[in-house]
Amino acid sequence: MTVTPALAAGQSGPVAYLSGFGNGFETEALPGALPIGRNSPQRCAYGLYAEQLSGSPFTAPRASNERSWLYRIRPTLQHWGPCRQADLGLWRTAPAHEVDVPIGPMRWDPLPLPETPQSFLEGVRTMTTAGDAGAQAGMGAHVYLITRSMVDEYFYDADGELLFVPQEGALRLWTEFGIIDIAPGELAVIPRGVKLRVELRDGPARGYLCENYGGAFTLPERGPIGANCLANPRDFLTPVAAYEDRDVPSRMFVKWGGALWTADLDHSPLDVVAWHGNYAPYKYDLRRFSPVGPILFDHADPSIFTVLTSPSETPGTANVDVVVFPERWAVAENTFRPPWYHMNVMSEFMGLVYGRYDAKPQGFVPGGCSLHNTMLPHGPDVDAFEAASTADLHPHKLEATLAFMFETRFMQRVTAFAAASDRFQHDYAAYGSRLRRHFDPSRP
Ligand code: FE2
């Protein structure tokens, strides 16, 4: 059992984690704070309140049943008060059919970091939404731009779980389960309903955010790949318990039903002294993903790069897949090695953390994003096609690159903000027209 002292706000220092994915973790910041052998004793140690946080229905099958027991200074009911509506800025929630943009491939340059102070809550820019948050299906694909830390401000999202993909700048996520530090190259998942405060660690931060309205992210099945490779469970890290005992004026924000609500508090709600269970935030270093791919010929489906999946009720049909394109060797013989041309029933939102993406060597830049929507054609651009069609096929390493995709079964709706952004690459829609005709019936 890991014990950590209480941490004061703003304090830096080593952050400790527990290893594993979806384990039944237990951790306490004060010795003896966790009840032994029961969840809800008549009186908890240290005068704590016991509270269950359920991420799945009570009766969900064991494999998808998620809940944790939190032992806290005050129950969440006291992190509450008369709620008034607050400004959610440019954060949108599905269904949000704000604007019709001509269908086709879409791409954006990186959104610029503002000169003015902007917290995480103020800095979410929704690019696309899909599905229906109220029906707990679909996702929002956002970019966050942060130039100030949240101070005495706390937040939880009732509409979905939050998957952070930093692209520039490191973040410290102060959650009620403990502290998570993330930097570009990593991701972090904050389950639905988990309170947090987002701090900057080394200057302004930009990144991507997937708001998953559906079933909680889990590891994909490996099938014939077997027991190892892809994302290995031991590389997922969940924080040890750490709490704030601070009685200062604070504000609680809750995103619920696509609106933001706020209440005044006189204390910090990050007051969980101990917890146990399998519903908790975690982080993962994407560079620990062990890719598996074609080692003789052909280009495999990108599903082999799935890090996490939010399943739907239909087997094999994800609500959201989080897919990563990391460093890897390309070795296939007599093969067009970049992704093939295709149309897909799933829709694809992509981002680039660093480096270059092999199917789009120009124009898709770190911090930018692209959208290839349901049943719309896409594939390598003309430069990528011509180069890959004539390249010497010796083993080649794709180095210093990290791209990712949020792929959902739902059509993605572009927001009015994304459509009107001056970072919208209007000429990208025609990139396919620059592909040249090569057909010659006299040359088999
Ligand atoms: Fe695709």
Side-chain angles (χ1 to χ4, degrees), residues 302 340 342 344 348 372 378 405 407:
W340 14 250
H342 78 131
N344 190 354
E348 309 171 10
H372 300 106
H378 56 282
M405 178 163 66
E407 187 177 72

Side-chain angles (χ1 to χ4, degrees), residues 148-424:
R148 76 166 177 92
S149 297
M150 294 168 71
V151 177
D152 299 326
E153 299 164 306
Y154 305 90
F155 170 68
Y156 76 82
D157 192 341
D159 290 339
E161 67 180 336
L162 298 174
L163 181 140
F164 289 77
V165 183
Q167 187 270 320
E168 181 179 326
L171 300 177
R172 173 160 288 182
L173 307 175
W174 291 74
T175 83
E176 56 189 335
F177 286 75
I179 301 164
I180 294 179
D181 282 343
I182 50 170
E186 298 178 303
L187 62 74
V189 172
I190 307 296
R192 189 192 305 259
V194 170
K195 304 173 190 77
L196 82 159
R197 184 180 76 240
V198 179
E199 273 187 6
L200 295 173
R201 298 199 64 207
D202 55 7
R206 173 175 51 216
Y208 307 89
L209 184 69
C210 179
E211 186 181 18
N212 170 25
Y213 311 138
F217 283 122
T218 190
L219 295 174
E221 299 295 340
R222 287 199 190 89
I225 294 172
N228 300 290
C229 294
L230 310 187
N232 289 302
R234 69 183 285 242
D235 295 320
F236 288 82
L237 301 176
T238 286
V240 299
Y243 67 96
E244 294 183 336
D245 183 9
R246 301 182 68 236
D247 288 349
V248 295
S250 307
R251 288 182 75 184
M252 185 72 220
F253 293 88
V254 180
K255 181 175 181 282
W256 194 100
L260 187 66
W261 298 86
T262 186
D264 295 321
L265 304 180
D266 58 6
H267 58 269
S268 165
L270 306 185
D271 63 356
V272 176
V273 177
W275 62 269
H276 77 85
N278 64 347
Y279 191 65
Y282 56 88
K283 74 170 199 168
Y284 175 71
D285 188 334
L286 291 161
R287 292 155 296 194
R288 293 193 181 182
F289 185 86
S290 173
V292 170
I295 52 174
L296 190 58
F297 62 86
D298 267 352
H299 181 100
D301 295 332
S303 45
I304 55 171
F305 296 123
T306 303
V307 180
L308 292 166
T309 186
S310 159
S312 75
E313 291 77 7
T314 305
T317 305
N319 180 67
V320 186
D321 280 334
V322 176
V323 180
V324 66
F325 302 100
E327 287 196 336
R328 61 202 183 276
W329 281 91
V331 299
E333 302 171 337
N334 187 17
T335 291
F336 182 75
R337 287 178 174 173
W340 14 250
Y341 295 97
H342 78 131
M343 304 204 303
N344 190 354
V345 68
M346 305 286 278
S347 67
E348 309 171 10
F349 178 93
M350 281 194 68
L352 185 60
V353 179
Y354 52 77
R356 296 201 311 175
Y357 177 61
D358 57 330
K360 304 282 166 47
Q362 308 294 331
F364 183 40
V365 300
C369 52
S370 68
L371 174 64
H372 300 106
N373 226 327
T374 303
M375 280 302 163
L376 298 181
H378 56 282
D381 62 21
V382 62
D383 294 335
F385 178 83
E386 299 297 340
S389 300
T390 55
D392 288 333
L393 293 183
H394 48 74
H396 168 66
K397 191 174 184 185
L398 303 167
E399 292 186 282
T401 181
L402 186 64
F404 71 90
M405 178 163 66
F406 303 150
E407 187 177 72
T408 173
R409 67 181 302 191
F410 298 100
M411 287 181 175
Q412 293 182 55
R413 295 285 186 186
V414 174
T415 60
F417 165 79
S421 168
D422 63 3
R423 307 296 150 143
F424 189 28

